[in-house]
């Protein structure tokens, strides 16, 4: 920010220059931040063409790159504090080590330094604001006062950093999913695609907002999440999940108070489908913990469940899709720990297990667990979802398929 001869606006001027000359390539194969130029491609021949385009522009504009500071033909690169690769985006290992080895703060300066470094990677940590709330409270005091709860939050953040997932790069051709939740201290959200998190959002509630009703907190979580990810969500329809059943009808209410009317007006900018997701099932669907999340959501011991993986190769409905997904996700299908999913829905092979699931789903309380929490959709040979009714009578007469 310090430039010679009083050139205080040099950084912004140079940034404007870079955006202007690379306008045709930005977002297509180039990302520019001041003098850092990142060129990304899907394969080597395409990458060579992109590099030629970038060098041509630099030559025409008489701009020069320092060869010693350049890195070419890399499958992974450190860019602006993140490791970026074809698998997604993850935290910088040096920053992670700095957080893990950080001593317990002894003054306000050390508290601010740790909080600032951890906050830089808050998009990787679910409910960051709620976890870091005791440390945030320490920053509000006039003098240094480190509490036992702040120590617990300090250690909890270190553990969260070690378990931070690899975030998926957004694909604007696929459907986004937004999961929102609220607690007594803060609100949080997860932006995901095809079962992988793209980013996390969290915000600590002020004292006034902590007095909101549960309905208002959940509603506020939706509003703040959509505002935070507005640039991702405005272009197409997305799916919004909330664990508060009443919020399914927020766009159909006729009598609204001033606060709700303002929030409903903000929702009109978006095109989405809202679905209820029970709290026990509202967990982060990331590839690193998919199996654990799946079994935790079921909350039942189904002895034959793991055997489903062995039936896909010979299944008439899913064998072709299963084989194709072994190399890459196909037509919205993906393999997670051997299980075939279409989006977030489990594909059940054509076997006696299919009948068993439906039979179990009609046995009283277990029906609510399987239908409301697992939401297993039985897929047939076509891409569209179809209901399946086995030729038998079910107890309780629920009539669900």
């Amino acid at each position: 920010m310090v430039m010679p001869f009083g050139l205080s606006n040099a950084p912004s001027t140079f940034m404007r220059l870079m955006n202007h000359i690379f306008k045709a390539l930005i977002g297509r194969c180039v990302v520019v931040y001041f003098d850092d130029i990142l060129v990304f491609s899907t394969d080597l021949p395409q990458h060579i063409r992109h590099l030629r385009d970038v060098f041509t522009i630099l030559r025409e504009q008489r701009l020069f790159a320092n060869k010693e500071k350049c890195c070419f033909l890399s499958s992974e690169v450190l860019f602006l504090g993140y490791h970026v690769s074809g698998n997604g985006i993850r935290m910088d290992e040096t920053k992670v080590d700095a957080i893990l080895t950080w001593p317990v703060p002894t003054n306000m300066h050390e508290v601010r330094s740790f909080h600032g470094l951890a906050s830089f990677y808050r998009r990787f940590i679910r409910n960051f604001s709620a976890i870091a709330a005791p440390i945030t409270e320490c920053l509000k005091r006039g003098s240094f006062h480190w509490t036992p709860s702040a120590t617990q939050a300090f250690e909890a953040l270190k553990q969260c950093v070690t378990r931070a997932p690899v975030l998926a790069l957004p694909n604007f051709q696929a459907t986004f999913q937004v999961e929102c939740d609220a607690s007594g201290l803060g609100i949080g959200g997860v932006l995901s695609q095809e079962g992988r998190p793209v980013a996390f959002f969290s915000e600590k509630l002020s004292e006034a907002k902590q007095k909101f009703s549960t309905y208002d907190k959940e509603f506020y979580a939706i509003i703040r999440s959509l505002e935070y990810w507005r640039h991702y969500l405005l272009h197409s329809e997305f799916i919004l999940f909330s664990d508060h059943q009443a919020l399914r009808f927020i766009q159909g209410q006729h009598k609204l108070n001033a606060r709700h009317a303002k929030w409903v007006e903000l929702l009109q900018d978006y095109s989405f489908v809202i679905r209820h997701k029970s709290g026990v099932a509202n967990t982060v669907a990331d590839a690193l913990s998919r199996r654990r999340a799946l079994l935790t959501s079921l909350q039942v011991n189904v002895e034959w469940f793991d055997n489903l993986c062995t039936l896909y190769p010979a299944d008439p409905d899913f064998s072709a899709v299963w084989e194709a997904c072994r190399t890459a996700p196909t037509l919205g299908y993906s393999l997670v720990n051997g299980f075939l999913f279409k989006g977030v829905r489990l594909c059940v092979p054509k076997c006696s297990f299919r009948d068993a699931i439906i039979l179990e789903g009609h046995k009283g309380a277990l029906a609510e667990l399987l239908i409301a929490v697992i939401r297993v959709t039985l897929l047939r040979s076509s891409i569209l979802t179809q209901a399946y009714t086995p030729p038998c009578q079910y107890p309780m007469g629920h009539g669900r398929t």
Side-chain angles (χ1 to χ4, degrees), residues 209-227:
K209 291 184 173 63
Q210 288 180 16
K211 298 177 182 178
F212 280 0
S213 65
T214 301
Y215 179 88
D216 283 14
K217 288 179 181 177
E218 297 283 355
F219 202 163
Y220 181 68
I222 292 176
I223 295 299
R224 290 294 296 122
S225 297
L226 298 190
E227 288 179 340

Side-chain angles (χ1 to χ4, degrees), residues 328-341:
T330 306
L331 297 175
Y333 291 88
S334 60
L335 280 179
V336 181
N337 291 321
F339 292 93
L340 182 64
F341 283 83

Side-chain angles (χ1 to χ4, degrees), residues 40 69 103 105 135 181 194 201 230 254 296 300 312 343 366 379:
F40 56 92
K69 294 184 178 180
I135 300 178
D181 196 10
E194 299 178 347
F201 163 74
R230 182 181 179 89
H254 301 290
T296 302
V300 288
Y312 290 120
L366 188 56
L379 302 179

Side-chain angles (χ1 to χ4, degrees), residues 365-379:
L366 188 56
E368 298 301 324
L369 180 63
L370 290 175
I371 295 172
V373 179
I374 309 175
R375 302 181 66 86
V376 174
T377 301
L378 302 177
L379 302 179

Side-chain angles (χ1 to χ4, degrees), residues 5-138:
F5 309 107
L7 300 176
S8 59
N9 64 338
S12 59
T13 302
F14 182 75
M15 189 71 244
R16 186 168 64 251
L17 168 67
M18 299 297 283
N19 285 332
H20 176 71
I21 65 176
F22 286 109
K23 182 178 180 180
L25 301 180
I26 289 179
R28 184 168 64 88
C29 62
V30 170
V31 176
V32 180
Y33 183 76
F34 289 104
D35 58 343
D36 290 324
I37 305 174
L38 177 64
V39 184
F40 56 92
S41 313
T42 56
D43 52 52
L44 182 58
Q46 185 187 62
H47 193 58
I48 299 298
R49 293 195 300 271
H50 290 164
L51 286 175
R52 184 181 292 109
D53 293 340
V54 170
F55 290 146
T56 300
I57 292 175
L58 292 177
R59 177 178 295 174
E60 291 174 350
Q61 300 297 327
R62 300 181 63 82
L63 296 174
F64 302 89
N66 188 337
K67 184 178 179 180
E68 286 71 21
K69 294 184 178 180
C70 295
C71 179
F72 297 102
L73 306 181
S74 234
S75 59
E76 183 175 281
V77 64
L78 180 62
F79 186 70
L80 303 180
Y82 300 101
H83 271 284
V84 184
S85 69
N87 295 325
I89 179 173
R90 58 185 174 87
M91 300 171 62
D92 182 6
E93 288 84 355
T94 59
K95 300 294 194 304
V96 173
D97 292 338
I99 295 175
L100 294 178
T101 58
W102 202 288
V104 176
T106 58
N107 53 60
M108 290 295 290
H109 175 73
E110 293 179 358
V111 175
R112 292 192 183 98
S113 298
F114 175 81
H115 190 271
L117 178 58
S119 296
F120 181 78
Y121 291 112
R122 65 188 301 151
R123 67 179 297 178
F124 289 85
I125 303 173
R126 182 170 190 173
N127 295 329
F128 173 88
S129 295
I131 298 173
I135 300 178
T136 307
E137 290 298 322
C138 293

